[in-house]
Every structure is written in structure tokens, then in C-alpha cells.
Amino acid sequence: MTLRLATTLCVALSLCALLIVPGNFPGLGGDARLTLAVFALATAAWIGTPIDDTYIALGAGLALTVTGVISNDTLFGTLGDDTVWLLICAFVLAAAVTRTGLAGRAAAFLVSGARTVRQLTHLTTAALVVTAFAVPATSGRAALALPVFLALAKALADRRRLVVMLALLFPTVILLSAVATLIGAGAHLITVSVLWEATGDRIGFTEWLLLGLPLAIVSSHLAAEAVLLTTTRRADRRGPVKITVEEIQLHSEQPVTGPWSPAESRCALLLATVVVLWCSEPLHRVSPAVVALIGAVVAASPALGTVRLKDALRTVPWSMLLFMAATMAMGVALSDSGAAKWLVSGLPAAVSPLVFLVAVVAVSTAAHLVLQSRSARSSVLVPLVVAAAVGAGVNPVAAALASTAAAGFCHTLPASAKPVALFADLPGTPTYTPRDLLRLSAVLAPLTAALVVLFAVVLWPALGVPLVP
């Protein structure tokens, strides 16, 4: 047993022992005690054991159901939540896009226009931000972008530092730009669900886009500059860059140049229609999940589709969806049992909204050092943040969004996020070291945290989400 596992289990078991004694923690009900005990054990297991995160979440949800803290309908009903269906259908659409090779064609169009290192860096960043609308979840976007990176690495094989810079740029931008859309990460759907259950506030696709896209663009391009300056020297950045479409084609299975095929044209039109309908939700009032379902049915249809439904469904990360559903149920238990409210009741009452926001962002930014799963971080933090925000006189929507956006920073270690781990181990291709990650994190962590605070204080209030209700 490792020291980390022993420590986390001791803390969790000690807390459970204290919760069992009725005289301890007056004012804490039976359901709240059970909820806190289950959460403590689940968090300890997430932190200190190699057990699959989904298995732990399902076990915790089952324990809360068997003990009567939440009902059967609450546990199983989360699987029918429209945000879960939105993600399923988004993966079907992503499979159709991947099958046609549209992403590679778009990347080649952008990157081949670069003539300097800085242009290459920011054009690559722009292309990666756009993929947030086509492919849900950061791991899926990383897998889609990997062939493009390998093609660039071959074209720049004689400039090793630039290859290392690009290897670090890809996962960095993928993680930070996820906040652009509601489907960018499973953690976003957990945040929306917790807010709905706790406050009755529903954040739709359009509202999330309005709040998240500017933050994604600014943070991604600032991060690109940070990556460029921390991994390359002035001499590396001075030389010209010329990457041709033909060089990218050598490492792509689908054509990246020439006339579009009928399948590519149909898929591009379908994707554009779906995104437009998502963005115009306030006009037509059709749920984003219904729009996504229509798009998925068309994408997999025999006449107009580009992928078979059974093949597309194989790309859906069912384990992640089960994890999301179980953690949503856990969030309901925290809120309904009064456990979240009790946990934050001891916080100082005389805290200014700005100090509260800074504390939330700081904790959320550092949380990846303890909980590697982004969804697990949101399932633990967001219910507490929402409950604390109400007590501190802060808008819970602004606090929850700030926490979720700050949790997008997870670059400190290769194991901190799947995209970081994927690009850290590429046989035959130069890539970054743990030291490179630490050097970047020293700059990027305070930069992204300050940016989230700035948006929550300045821009989001102008867009209808004030810090103080």
C-alpha cells in the first residue's frame, strides 16, 4: 500500500468514524451523514486507488440508493437526462466528421498558410479551438488531432524544439478551449445538472457558448504564447516556416486537398446546420439534445449519412456517461440531504464576493493535483461551490462556471489529463518532459486563474451573469 493511498484512506475512515457517532456534528441529519461518508470514501478511492473511476462512482450511487438517501428514480433518471443524450448524439456526429476527414482538410487549410513560427502557433490554436464544436470531450479531440500533429512533426523534423513546442501546444489548447461549448467536457454537463437541481437555473447551449467561447479564445491564444516562450528560444522562433498541404497529405488517410467528395459536403452542411440550430436555441426553442438527435439520425441514415449507426455508437464513451450519471446522482444527494449546506456553513460569513471568487478559482485550479478526473473534480467541487455561493451572497451560476472553467487547467503532470498523457508518449517523435510541463504550469496556472477571475468580474456580468445576484 502506497503512502498516498494509506493517508487518504485513513483520513476518509476517520471522517466516517466521526460521522457515525450521533453526538458529533449537531444539526447534521442521518441522510447528510451517510452522504458525507459515501463521498469521503469515494473521493479517497478516486485519489488513492487504481480502481476505475466509473466503478467507484457507480458504487457510491448504489450505496446512496440502498440506504435511501436518493430514490431509484433519481439514480436511474440521470441516464435519461437530456445533457447525457446531447453528448451521445454529439459523439455520433463526431464519428461522421471523423469518417469523412473534414477535420484534417480544415487543419491543412489553416496550417499551410503559416509563414512564421508564431503564425503556425496561433493558426494551430485557432484550428484546435474550432474542433470543440465538432468533437465532444477532450480525449476525443486529442485523438482526432494526433495525426495532424504527427504530420507537422515530420515536416519540422529538423527543428526539434518546434516539434516539442507543438507537442505541448496541442493538449494545452485542447484542454483550455473545452470551455467554449457545453459538450466540450463531461464536467460541463455535471455543472449544468448540479445548478439545475440546486437552484433551478438552467444553462443552455447558447448561454454557455456566449460565456465560454470568449474565455476559450483568449485563454487558448495566451496559453499558445506561454508555450511558445517557455519551450523555444529566440533563434527557434526567428526562422521561416513552410508546411505544404502535400506534406500533411503524406500522413493522412483521407484527402486534405482537391475537390470535396459528396460525403464531405453533406457532412459539412449537416454539422453547420446543427451548430447554427444550437446557437439559435432562443429563437426556435428546440432543445439542443433534440437538435443533436436529429443530426445523429441524419448522419447515420442510409441515404444521407456518412457512418453506420452501430459504428458510430462504438465511439461513444459509455463508461464516461455512466460516470457522469452516477456523479450527477451524488450531487443530488449532497444538495437534497443538506450535506453540502452543512459543509459550507462553517465558512466565514463576512467574505467579499471577490475574495470568495478568488478562493474558488484557486482551489479549482489546484484540484487536478489531487483528483485527475475532470468530471470527478466537478462532482465534488461544484455542489459545495453552489451551496457556499448562496451563503456568501454570490451568484451560484457565476461561481459554478468559474470553478468549472478554472478546473480546465490540468497541465502540471503527464497523468493530470488524458490529452497530456497522450502527447507525452509518442515513440519516434520528440515530445515534452515533466520538466517542460512544470515550467509551463508555473506560468499558465496563475495566468488562467487570473483570466477566469477577470471574466467573472468584468465580462460575464455584461453578458447577464453578475457576480452578485
Side-chain angles (χ1 to χ4, degrees), residues 52-138:
D52 185 77
D53 289 345
T54 302
Y55 187 85
I56 296 168
L58 288 174
L62 183 61
L64 292 170
T65 305
V66 170
T67 54
V69 177
I70 57 176
S71 65
N72 295 344
D73 291 342
T74 298
L75 177 64
F76 297 121
T78 53
L79 275 174
D81 191 274
D82 58 352
T83 54
V84 173
W85 277 94
L86 172 62
L87 200 57
I88 292 173
C89 297
F91 270 102
V92 174
L93 286 167
V97 172
T98 303
R99 179 67 61 91
T100 60
L102 274 176
R105 186 183 287 271
F109 173 76
L110 284 173
V111 171
S112 61
R115 293 295 175 264
T116 67
V117 173
R118 183 162 270 110
Q119 281 183 356
L120 175 64
T121 301
H122 286 282
L123 286 173
T124 301
T125 299
L128 290 171
V129 172
V130 171
T131 62
F133 295 91
V135 182
T138 54

Side-chain angles (χ1 to χ4, degrees), residues 85-415:
W85 277 94
L86 172 62
L87 200 57
I88 292 173
C89 297
F91 270 102
V92 174
L93 286 167
V97 172
T98 303
R99 179 67 61 91
T100 60
L102 274 176
R105 186 183 287 271
F109 173 76
L110 284 173
V111 171
S112 61
R115 293 295 175 264
T116 67
V117 173
R118 183 162 270 110
Q119 281 183 356
L120 175 64
T121 301
H122 286 282
L123 286 173
T124 301
T125 299
L128 290 171
V129 172
V130 171
T131 62
F133 295 91
V135 182
T138 54
S139 56
R141 292 168 62 204
L144 181 69
L146 183 59
V148 177
F149 163 72
L150 293 176
L152 293 176
K154 293 294 183 183
L156 298 169
D158 58 334
R159 302 174 71 174
R160 187 180 186 280
R161 288 186 186 275
L162 292 188
V163 176
V164 173
M165 182 273 293
L166 288 172
L168 191 51
L169 177 70
F170 271 71
T172 296
V173 174
I174 286 170
L175 289 168
L176 292 181
S177 62
V179 74
T181 71
L182 183 59
I183 61 173
H188 302 170
L189 306 181
I190 292 173
T191 298
V192 169
S193 175
V194 171
L195 278 171
W196 172 251
E197 293 290 343
T199 67
D201 292 316
R202 171 72 78 177
I203 300 179
F205 187 94
T206 306
E207 186 177 5
W208 189 290
L209 183 70
L210 185 66
L211 299 169
L213 181 58
L215 176 60
I217 293 173
V218 174
S219 62
S220 295
H221 284 280
L222 285 178
E225 280 294 321
V227 171
L228 187 63
L229 295 176
T230 57
T231 57
T232 62
R233 298 171 181 171
R234 183 173 297 178
D236 302 319
R237 300 190 291 272
R238 188 177 296 129
V241 170
K242 186 177 181 181
I243 299 174
T244 64
V245 174
E246 288 72 23
E247 288 175 312
I248 298 176
Q249 181 67 77
L250 291 175
H251 306 281
S252 176
E253 296 180 0
Q254 289 91 7
V256 298
T257 186
W260 285 31
S261 68
E264 287 178 314
S265 300
R266 292 197 306 271
C267 190
L269 178 61
L270 174 62
L271 182 62
T273 302
V274 168
V275 172
V276 168
L277 289 174
W278 277 341
C279 296
S280 59
E281 178 192 357
L283 298 178
H284 53 70
R285 300 295 180 183
V286 179
S287 166
V290 174
V291 172
L293 182 57
I294 295 171
V297 170
V298 174
S301 64
L304 300 175
T306 58
V307 64
R308 293 190 301 175
L309 183 59
K310 65 178 183 180
D311 294 333
L313 290 176
R314 290 194 187 103
T315 68
V316 178
W318 297 105
S319 177
M320 184 185 76
L321 293 175
L322 288 173
F323 177 86
M324 284 174 46
T327 52
M328 284 178 186
M330 293 169 67
V332 172
L334 265 180
S335 177
D336 291 353
S337 68
K341 186 176 181 180
W342 179 85
L343 277 175
V344 300
S345 61
L347 295 177
V351 174
S352 71
L354 181 59
V355 171
F356 177 85
L357 176 67
V358 169
V360 166
V361 169
V363 170
S364 301
T365 301
H368 71 282
L369 298 174
V370 180
L371 283 170
Q372 275 72 39
S373 168
R374 192 171 185 168
S375 297
R377 293 199 295 276
S378 287
S379 66
V380 172
L381 288 175
V382 174
L384 302 180
V385 167
V386 170
V390 173
V394 175
N395 183 358
V397 175
L401 284 173
S403 174
T404 305
F409 173 81
C410 36
H411 303 67
T412 307
L413 301 170

Side-chain angles (χ1 to χ4, degrees), residues 433-450:
T433 65
R435 185 176 180 180
D436 294 322
L437 283 174
L438 290 174
R439 184 165 55 245
L440 175 64
S441 296
V443 176
L444 201 54
L447 178 64
T448 54

